[in-house]
């Protein structure tokens, strides 16, 4: 297939050594068999021992004197070893998303050096259940909250040991409390040397539910497909509380029975204690977790456990997809609409598509199960096309009724003289709930003290001189850039027109917190945003404080709307629902709908009915209307019509060619040239947009611009990408491309 003369081959497949390649000549006889990712047999070292390697790059340029370059002996047999699969997957990602092979390999290979083993501590009950129960009520009486939580958790499953870190972390109990409980003979703390297991313990199976008919139907249908050798992609559309997680657990059970392993992807932010515990309670020591708070040693051990068969199930965010199981049988992606499933660095892969590809590569094939209350337009569209198999879960099993959603028109509030950030209806409901001792969540799509600062007289907006984004006002009178950290003092006079009507435009989390304290001085308020969750453990601490009813109001950004169950929350206020509609990309409405639906879903999870107040300047917008009715299908119909009209994904495909340069003119000229190259090879139906400055036109003094291409045929976009990569590579080889970098993003999800 290739006309190239030389291949750069990698021999030692480990993350650290990927950069170390060796060049070989490709003999004529093998030229049509060698492509990137191909396994080859090569003579290596002084003794020319035969080794297996993989082709990472192809080139016509020899790195040394040509007659000193050895020849590839043969193409190695095609196998399905974990290594072969990783390389094939990397090669697919390189081609499908645009990247170097090395960057793709670094993505799929677990990144950790070998580590030494460590000790793990566990907590269990030392006394009999009856005595412990008495202790528990004693703590309740004495209001010893921390002890109450420890005992409560242990009594739930008296024979279980719970990892020490879970209790100090997620349950927010101090080591001193545990120590004294241990000294008093209430609990036992023991230590074990083992693989580092972030949240593992041996357990009895417990709390298994008899599946509802709807749930059982999904499991039966899946199992029947599976046993007939059919591997497919399934989408489970079901509101929160409709029993998706229980279905995942049942599916995994079936897969494990068949000697296979399971990968479960959950957005990092939704990897909560409650979710993890459900898997641990069911699968005990056979499950583990991967997330960013694990140490390198812990990460390494989880990969080893997967490789050696010590576990069957891994739960983690996007990167857990690359867990080296010998025999993956199912890949589950929960909350599949989440934008965090798309990588923001090269290769800019989407976990959903990559999972489907991985499912094709593994031995015997794996099926993919997607789940969401608000499926991505992509997945629902594919399901309607018949490419994915659609399952619906319509009933909510948690009991609890859907909350009543009201829309508050902020324009009307202003006309009626209400200048506060709370509509009158929201104030009324807040009063009511706080009086009753119930909890409320206030959600805003923003962080910091304020949104942007502007002059009401001339409209001047204060922006970062390096990044071209608006500055935000922070406490202490500083204006701060959220990208590069640039600061300048807040001024009272407009630098442009000299007026003194300079104000912050919209409320941020901190300002809301202050306002809540002003309106309801006795309310206990918690705030959760990027600022208050910077340190390790702070996120869990805020959530557990709120869950333990040690606060009445939780104010926060999107972080608070993800997957938490707070049965006493009976009011959710969405303070500026349309803020995400101002984002400058084609997914703004979809993101708004998802956020609003999820936020609304936070109210009325327990037996008490809930209220939701959606405050907005655009009450008639379909995202807001359909979200307030929790009507996914109506939203989908409106949105897909818009995508269809403008040929946006998922109806068509879009590639963004992202150019970055310190020299704005040079960057623009280069972007124009790239567009011209593609246009000279115009494909039917291709639409070119730009070049134009990116939504964030400059970061750290580097200018950013993009050219967009829309085309129904994804492969057509791939061949445009190949064309540009080749051109760029040639310029680089000639030393002619300086100070410019180019990246590709297919069907972009995150703004640029
Ligand atoms: P989702 O993942 O869709 O939010 P879950 O699987 O978490 O839904 O289920 C919601 C709640 O209903 C959980 O508390 C779960 O324990 C319970 N549940 C799920 N399936 C059943 C069932 N078949 N019988 C009884 N309770 C169930
Ligand atoms: Zn002004
Ligand atoms: Zn900046």
């Amino acid at each position: 297939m290739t006309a190239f003369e030389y291949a750069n081959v990698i021999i030692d497949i480990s993350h650290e050594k990927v950069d170390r390649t060796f060049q070989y000549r490709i003999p004529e006889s093998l030229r049509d068999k060698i492509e990137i990712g191909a396994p080859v047999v090569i003579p290596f070292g002084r003794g020319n021992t035969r080794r297996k390697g993989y082709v990472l790059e192809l080139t016509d340029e020899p790195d040394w004197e040509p007659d000193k370059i050895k020849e590839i002996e043969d193409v190695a047999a095609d196998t399905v070893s974990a290594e072969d699969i990783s390389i094939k997957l990397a090669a697919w990602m390189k081609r499908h998303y645009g990247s170097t092979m090395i960057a793709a390999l670094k993505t799929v290979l677990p990144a950790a050096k070998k580590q030494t083993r460590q000790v793990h501590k566990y907590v269990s009950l030392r006394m009999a259940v009856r005595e412990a129960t008495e202790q528990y009520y004693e703590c309740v009486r004495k209001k010893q909250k921390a002890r109450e939580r420890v005992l409560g958790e242990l009594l739930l499953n008296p024979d279980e040991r719970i990892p020490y870190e879970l209790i100090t972390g997620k349950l927010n109990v101090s080591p001193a409390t545990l120590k004294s409980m241990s000294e008093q003979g209430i609990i036992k703390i023991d230590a074990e040397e083992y693989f580092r297991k972030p949240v593992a313990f041996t357990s009895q199976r417990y709390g298994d539910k008899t599946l509802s008919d709807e749930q059982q139907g999904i499991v039966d249908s899946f199992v029947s497909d599976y046993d007939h050798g059919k591997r497919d992609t399934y989408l489970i559309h079901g509101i929160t509380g409709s029993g998706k997680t229980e279905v995942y657990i049942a599916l995994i059970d079936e897969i494990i029975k068949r000697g296979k392993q399971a990968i479960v992807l959950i957005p990092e932010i939704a990897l909560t204690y409650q979710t993890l515990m459900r898997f641990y309670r069911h699968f005990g020591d056979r499950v583990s977790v991967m997330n960013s708070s694990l140490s390198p040693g812990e990460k390494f051990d989880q990969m080893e456990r997967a490789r050696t068969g010590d576990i069957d199930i891994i739960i983690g965010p996007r990167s857990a997809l690359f867990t080296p199981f010998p025999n993956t049988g199912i890949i589950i992606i929960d909350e599949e609409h989440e934008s965090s499933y798309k990588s923001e660095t090269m290769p800019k892969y989407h976990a959903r598509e990559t999972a489907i590809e991985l499912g094709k590569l593994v031995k015997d094939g794996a099926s993919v199960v997607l789940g969401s209350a608000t499926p991505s337009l992509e997945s629902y569209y594919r399901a309607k096309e018949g490419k994915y198999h659609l399952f619906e879960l319509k009933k909510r099993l948690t009991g609890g009724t859907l909350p009543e959603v009201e829309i508050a028109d902020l324009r009307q509030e202003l006309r009626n003289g209400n200048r506060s950030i709370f509509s009158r209806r929201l104030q009324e409901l807040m009063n009511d709930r706080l009086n009753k001792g119930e909890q409320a969540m206030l959600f805003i799509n923003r962080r910091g003290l304020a949104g942007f600062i502007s002059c009401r007289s001339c409209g001047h907006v204060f922006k970062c001189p390096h990044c071209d984004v608006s500055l935000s006002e922070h406490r202490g009178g500083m204006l701060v850039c959220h990208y590069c950290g640039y600061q300048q003092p807040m001024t009272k006079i407009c630098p442009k027109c000299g007026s003194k009507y300079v104000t912050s435009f919209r409320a941020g989390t901190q300002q809301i917190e202050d306002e809540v304290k002003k309106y309801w001085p006795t309310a206990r308020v918690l705030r959760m945003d990027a600022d208050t969750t910077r340190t390790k453990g702070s996120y869990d601490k805020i959530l557990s404080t709120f869950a333990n009813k040690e606060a009445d109001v939780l104010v926060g950004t999107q972080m608070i709307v993800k997957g938490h169950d707070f049965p006493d929350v009976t009011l959710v206020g969405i303070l500026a629902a349309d803020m995400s509609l101002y984002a400058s990309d084609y997914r703004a409405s979809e993101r708004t709908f998802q956020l609003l639906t999820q936020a609304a879903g936070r109210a009325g999870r327990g037996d008490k009915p809930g209220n939701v107040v959606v405050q907005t300047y655009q009450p008639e917008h379909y995202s807001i209307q359909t979200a307030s009715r929790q009507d996914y299908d109506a939203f989908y119909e409106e949105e897909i019509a818009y995508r269809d009209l403008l040929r946006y994904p998922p109806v068509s495909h879009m590639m963004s060619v992202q150019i970055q340069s310190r020299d704005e003119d040079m960057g623009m000229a280069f972007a124009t040239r790239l567009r011209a190259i593609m246009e000279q090879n115009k494909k039917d139906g291709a639409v070119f947009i730009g070049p134009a400055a990116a939504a964030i036109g400059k970061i750290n003094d580097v200018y950013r611009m993009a050219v967009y291409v829309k085309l129904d045929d994804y492969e057509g976009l791939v061949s445009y990408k190949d064309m540009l990569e080749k051109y760029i590579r040639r310029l680089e080889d000639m030393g002619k491309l300086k100070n410019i970098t180019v990246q590709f993003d297919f069907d972009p999800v995150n703004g640029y």
Side-chain angles (χ1 to χ4, degrees):
M1 205 123 54
T2 177
F4 291 102
E5 223 168 312
Y6 302 100
N8 295 333
V9 174
I10 175 182
I11 291 160
D12 188 350
I13 311 296
S14 68
H15 187 85
E16 293 74 31
K17 297 196 180 136
V18 163
D19 293 319
R20 190 114 171 76
T21 59
F22 302 88
Q23 197 165 64
Y24 287 83
R25 187 196 320 283
I26 310 173
E28 290 287 347
S29 58
L30 294 179
R31 291 237 167 125
D32 56 347
K33 289 187 194 158
I34 286 190
E35 53 191 3
I36 286 179
V40 288
V41 181
I42 40 162
F44 189 71
R46 292 215 181 160
N48 281 335
T49 31
R50 301 174 85 223
R51 297 276 300 268
K52 183 177 174 185
Y54 296 90
V55 174
L56 286 205
E57 290 150 326
L58 295 165
T59 174
D60 283 327
E61 300 292 310
D63 287 348
W64 340 84
E65 293 158 54
D67 50 336
K68 287 196 178 156
I69 298 178
K70 299 177 195 174
E71 266 193 2
I72 291 178
E73 269 181 29
D74 207 348
V75 175
D78 199 18
T79 64
V80 280
S81 70
E83 204 165 77
D84 282 24
I85 291 169
S86 295
I87 305 271
K88 281 184 197 160
L89 190 62
W92 177 85
M93 287 163 78
K94 172 203 178 323
R95 191 180 129 67
H96 203 75
Y97 297 109
S99 145
T100 62
M101 187 62 187
I102 285 169
L105 265 184
K106 284 190 169 171
T107 306
V108 305
L109 296 174
K113 291 199 183 71
K114 201 161 175 52
Q115 309 275 338
T116 50
R117 295 239 169 136
Q118 266 197 347
V119 168
H120 244 284
K121 288 200 280 184
Y122 299 91
V123 176
S124 56
L125 276 183
R126 170 158 270 165
M127 32 177 58
V129 172
R130 230 194 51 209
E131 275 176 276
T133 311
E134 279 165 22
Q135 283 283 339
Y136 173 79
Y137 284 112
E138 176 126 350
C139 296
V140 173
R141 210 158 30 76
K142 291 187 180 158
K143 296 208 169 15
Q144 295 171 325
K145 295 269 185 198
R147 283 173 175 244
E148 178 190 326
R149 287 200 293 280
V150 176
L151 283 167
E153 194 61 33
L154 288 169
L155 279 167
L156 218 49
N157 305 281
D159 301 327
E160 272 178 11
R161 304 185 308 166
I162 299 187
Y164 186 85
E165 288 74 22
L166 257 187
I167 298 197
T168 52
K170 305 251 172 180
L171 282 186
N172 192 16
V173 174
S174 73
T177 305
L178 288 176
K179 184 152 175 270
S180 102
M181 288 176 83
S182 160
E183 282 162 5
Q184 292 164 0
I186 303 172
I187 60 167
K188 195 163 67 183
I189 301 175
D190 43 13
E192 232 171 56
E193 191 197 70
Y194 212 57
F195 278 129
R196 273 157 282 230
K197 294 181 183 178
V199 214
F201 59 99
T202 46
S203 106
Q204 307 295 310
R205 287 177 59 132
Y206 136 96
D208 277 4
K209 310 260 186 317
T210 314
L211 295 184
S212 70
D213 290 348
E214 269 187 341
Q215 289 172 315
Q216 192 62 49
I218 296 176
V219 176
D220 291 346
S221 170
F222 177 93
V223 167
S224 160
D225 279 358
Y226 193 88
D227 287 343
H228 284 93
K230 186 173 173 208
R231 303 293 178 266
D232 210 341
T233 303
Y234 304 84
L235 170 63
I236 305 179
H237 177 209
I239 54 170
T240 320
S242 61
K244 296 186 294 297
T245 308
E246 217 59 46
V247 171
Y248 303 152
I249 288 173
L251 293 176
I252 295 170
D253 258 342
E254 297 293 340
I255 286 292
I256 289 176
K257 263 190 234 158
R258 287 159 178 77
K260 303 281 181 175
Q261 294 91 41
I263 296 173
V264 182
L265 302 187
I266 294 181
E268 175 120 29
I269 203 148
L271 261 176
T272 58
Y273 177 76
Q274 288 111 314
T275 309
L276 287 181
M277 284 311 266
R278 285 175 68 182
F279 283 91
Y280 287 121
R281 291 229 164 90
H282 191 93
F283 297 108
D285 224 10
R286 304 300 297 171
V287 61
S288 190
V289 65
M290 271 298 258
N291 65 41
S292 62
S293 65
L294 300 195
S295 67
E298 286 174 321
K299 283 185 183 158
F300 179 81
D301 278 10
Q302 303 331 301
M303 293 295 117
E304 279 306 292
R305 293 178 73 199
R307 206 189 307 279
T308 58
D310 192 54
I311 52 171
D312 299 313
I313 305 143
I314 193 93
I315 304 179
R318 191 177 69 217
S319 60
L321 191 55
F322 307 114
T323 305
F325 279 126
N327 256 314
T328 304
I330 191 170
I331 304 164
I332 293 169
I333 307 184
D334 191 30
E335 312 270 2
E336 66 86 29
H337 61 276
E338 278 288 320
S339 60
S340 62
Y341 286 125
K342 179 90 193 249
S343 169
E344 291 190 63
T345 53
M346 296 266 266
K348 299 188 176 183
Y349 71 95
H350 199 296
R352 187 195 309 123
E353 297 155 356
T354 309
I356 293 170
E357 181 63 24
L358 177 61
K360 290 181 194 155
L361 292 175
V362 295
K363 185 158 167 280
D364 301 334
S367 283
V368 176
V369 175
L370 313 170
S372 175
T374 53
S376 62
L377 265 269
E378 263 74 10
S379 297
Y380 210 66
Y381 183 73
R382 302 273 172 260
K384 293 217 155 182
E385 279 185 314
K387 293 205 171 123
Y388 300 172
H389 189 108
L390 181 65
F391 291 123
E392 305 256 7
L393 282 174
K394 299 215 184 276
K395 284 185 228 109
R396 203 176 198 181
L397 297 168
T398 29
T401 41
L402 282 177
E404 187 186 328
V405 182
E406 296 162 72
I407 296 178
D409 185 345
L410 289 176
R411 299 167 308 187
Q412 193 62 40
E413 294 290 324
L414 203 65
R415 265 180 247 134
N416 291 339
N418 176 15
R419 293 178 170 275
S420 114
I421 55 176
F422 307 114
S423 61
R424 285 154 306 161
R425 180 61 179 150
L426 184 57
Q427 292 178 26
E428 207 174 287
L429 287 166
M430 282 286 284
N431 290 337
D432 177 66
R433 298 308 137 93
L434 291 172
N435 282 339
K436 288 185 190 150
E438 294 171 3
Q439 291 180 301
M441 285 166 95
L442 298 178
F443 163 69
I444 187 155
N445 187 13
R446 191 112 198 156
R447 67 168 198 168
L449 184 66
F452 53 89
I453 310 296
S454 61
C455 168
R456 279 199 192 169
S457 176
C458 76
H460 173 74
V461 174
F462 289 71
K463 288 192 167 184
C464 171
H466 308 292
C467 301
D468 199 29
V469 293
S470 49
L471 296 170
S472 292
E473 187 187 5
H474 277 238
R475 191 158 277 166
M478 295 304 277
L479 293 176
V480 181
C481 168
H482 280 164
Y483 281 97
C484 73
Y486 168 88
Q487 299 197 352
Q488 69 179 53
M490 171 82 187
T491 65
K492 296 230 155 44
I493 307 290
C494 172
K496 203 167 157 214
C497 74
S499 91
K500 51 183 199 296
Y501 302 107
V502 174
T503 53
S504 61
F505 192 69
R506 284 188 197 95
T509 41
Q510 201 170 77
Q511 192 187 338
I512 294 169
E513 184 188 6
D514 294 346
E515 288 288 301
V516 173
K517 285 177 175 158
K518 214 162 79 196
Y519 276 74
W520 298 280
T522 56
R524 296 164 300 172
V525 189
L526 281 173
R527 172 162 65 96
M528 175 136 110
D529 56 22
D531 287 332
T532 60
T533 51
R534 201 148 287 160
T535 57
K536 193 176 167 173
S538 50
Y539 175 78
D540 290 329
K541 193 161 174 167
I542 295 171
L543 287 179
S544 58
T545 307
F546 194 59
N548 296 328
K549 292 208 75 179
E550 287 160 27
D552 307 301
V553 183
L554 176 60
V555 173
T557 55
Q558 29 270 64
M559 283 181 194
I560 66 172
V561 308
K562 304 285 158 79
H564 309 292
D565 257 323
F566 302 114
D568 286 304
V569 170
T570 51
L571 174 62
V572 169
I574 299 166
L575 294 174
D578 31 2
M579 202 152 282
S580 51
L581 287 176
Y582 299 135
S584 56
D585 70 291
Y586 72 90
R587 290 179 195 265
S589 299
E590 183 178 2
R591 226 169 6 244
T592 303
F593 176 83
Q594 286 162 352
L595 273 173
L596 295 188
T597 310
Q598 284 180 359
R602 295 304 105 198
R605 308 294 297 250
D607 349 311
K608 289 168 237 150
N611 283 75
V612 178
V613 178
V614 179
Q615 302 192 157
T616 174
Y617 290 95
Q618 298 177 62
E620 62 291 327
H621 192 283
Y622 66 89
S623 289
I624 290 172
Q625 285 289 332
T626 53
S628 68
R629 299 197 306 270
Q630 309 245 346
D631 187 347
Y632 179 83
D633 285 312
F635 168 75
Y636 175 82
E637 292 304 332
E638 289 257 14
E639 182 66 13
I640 205 76
Y642 151 77
R643 304 277 177 100
D644 190 32
L645 190 68
L646 294 168
R647 306 315 292 165
Y648 280 127
V651 181
S652 183
H653 291 287
M654 183 155 106
M655 174 175 74
S656 140
V657 184
Q658 304 170 342
I659 296 104
Q660 306 193 358
S661 171
R662 286 189 172 272
D663 183 326
E664 190 174 12
D665 294 338
M666 208 162 93
M668 269 299 180
F670 192 67
T672 309
R673 197 135 111 235
L674 294 184
R675 173 178 167 150
I677 289 171
M678 292 188 282
E679 272 187 309
Q680 277 159 19
N681 297 276
K682 186 142 181 359
K683 295 173 196 301
D684 260 3
V687 177
F688 298 91
I689 305 166
I696 301 153
K698 189 162 66 154
I699 294 183
N700 265 328
D701 292 320
V702 174
Y703 290 89
R704 296 146 59 86
M705 36 236 125
V707 176
Y708 293 93
V709 192
K710 289 192 274 189
L711 187 63
D712 288 357
D713 174 28
Y714 193 98
E715 282 301 311
L717 291 180
V718 170
S719 69
Y720 273 143
K721 181 262 301 171
D722 290 345
M723 201 182 288
L724 297 185
E725 271 183 341
K726 209 159 148 191
Y727 172 72
I728 291 162
R729 173 103 191 236
R730 231 182 34 238
L731 288 182
E732 277 170 353
D733 287 349
M734 293 189 294
K736 279 190 179 164
L737 194 66
K738 296 221 173 76
N739 299 321
I740 288 185
T741 60
V742 179
Q743 300 196 338
F744 299 92
D745 193 353
F746 284 75
D747 292 349
V749 168
N750 304 301
Y752 169 65

